[in-house]
Amino acid sequence: MASVEILFEDTKLTITTASGRKFTDICDDFDTPIFFGCRAGSCATCLIEVTQGIENLSPHTNEEEVLLSILADGNPKARLACQCKVLGPIVVKVLEPT
């Protein structure tokens, strides 16, 4: 399995991990600035903006798209970290719901 690099803009933390892992599992293994509440895509605690590499995350679910349209004010780079698998290198920062 290939390795991917994730840069967290908020803390300048860079981690390397295996491709295809759930973002929640990655954040559980490392001390990241992303917090999780429900882990089911309904609380928006894990709202992030992918400033580079958004194409390297798994596709949105319909439920995630609905919540993002409400909480992220149409930001096309917003994702819920609990709903993603990391497939390639990304750069992210934590967002506050709008």
Side-chain angles (χ1 to χ4, degrees), residues 84-97:
C84 304
K85 285 187 178 179
V86 180
L87 308 173
I90 58 173
V91 178
V92 300
K93 65 180 180 179
V94 176
L95 285 180
E96 294 292 327

Side-chain angles (χ1 to χ4, degrees), residues 34-50:
I34 301 174
F35 297 101
F36 297 92
C38 69
R39 295 178 179 249
S42 60
C43 75
T45 303
C46 64
L47 185 63
I48 58 171
E49 181 174 17
V50 185

